[in-house]
Amino acid sequence: MNKFKGLVLMMAVAAGLSVYAQTPQTLLVSANSPVTAQNAASYLTVNPLDVIARPNFYMNKNIKIKAKFDKFSTLGLDYKPAMRSSEKYISFLIQRPDVTDHNIPLSELKIFLNRDEAEKHIDLNSGDVVEFTGKIFSTALGDAWMEVDKFTVISTKPKNETK
């Protein structure tokens, strides 16, 4: 009789697991906005200092960063071990979040943006707040190399007009 109870219990557990595996899971993005796992973009919001401290941990991960823009650059372009062509991409630098009294670029994080998208934001100034998502695709030279798939301007600093 105990074998029969054990067999029934195992079948019930297996059936429960089967139903659970077929049910769409829900991720809570915020308290009021459930998003199903199938259509949720899984970006990990990170501090850029964490990324440069542990680039191997973030390798092949989708991340989101909010930071102060510093400038567009050619840093890292056409470097063969982490190739992104200067014909298709431009790189940009963000400001170090741990320095507030000077504008110091975070050059350890190589960030690449498609030139077509960058041209839409040519009027950005140092200190404007941006948010971008993408994937760390290389850790060449011990640095994190990121290709951006979405770039958003959050806020711009007022332009100083001189007369």
Side-chain angles (χ1 to χ4, degrees):
M1 189 67 171
N2 281 341
K3 287 182 181 180
F4 179 72
K5 286 182 183 178
L7 182 60
V8 169
L9 180 61
M10 285 184 3
M11 288 175 33
V13 169
L17 290 176
S18 174
V19 169
Y20 179 78
Q22 294 172 3
T23 304
Q25 299 304 304
T26 300
L27 304 173
L28 284 179
V29 175
S30 71
N32 298 321
S33 64
V35 178
T36 62
Q38 286 83 359
N39 64 11
S42 56
Y43 290 93
L44 181 62
T45 301
V46 298
N47 180 321
L49 295 177
D50 293 338
V51 177
I52 65 167
R54 301 184 310 154
N56 289 325
F57 175 80
Y58 291 100
M59 180 70 176
N60 292 319
K61 291 189 179 171
N62 292 320
I63 61 173
K64 180 193 298 187
I65 295 174
K66 183 176 178 182
K68 287 185 178 179
F69 178 84
D70 190 63
K71 65 181 137 250
F72 287 108
S73 171
T74 58
L75 181 68
L77 291 168
D78 299 319
Y79 179 63
K80 291 196 187 307
M83 185 62 176
R84 290 299 180 265
S85 168
S86 59
E87 293 177 9
K88 185 175 178 186
Y89 293 91
I90 188 74
S91 59
F92 67 93
L93 296 166
I94 58 174
Q95 294 177 3
R96 291 188 68 91
D98 57 342
V99 178
T100 57
D101 58 345
H102 291 85
N103 292 339
I104 299 177
L106 187 66
S107 60
E108 300 92 331
L109 180 57
K110 314 300 191 272
I111 313 167
F112 300 94
L113 182 62
N114 184 292
R115 280 189 177 271
D116 293 338
E117 180 64 22
E119 288 173 4
K120 297 175 188 174
H121 306 287
I122 198 71
D123 58 345
L124 279 174
N125 292 305
S126 182
D128 291 347
V129 179
V130 297
E131 182 177 80
F132 51 97
T133 61
K135 182 180 279 191
I136 301 297
F137 69 90
S138 177
T139 58
L141 302 174
D143 290 343
W145 299 65
M146 178 181 184
E147 183 171 339
V148 172
D149 57 32
K150 183 177 178 192
F151 185 88
T152 307
V153 177
I154 303 296
S155 65
T156 57
K157 290 172 44 176
K159 310 281 190 267
N160 291 336
E161 294 184 27
T162 57
K163 295 184 179 184

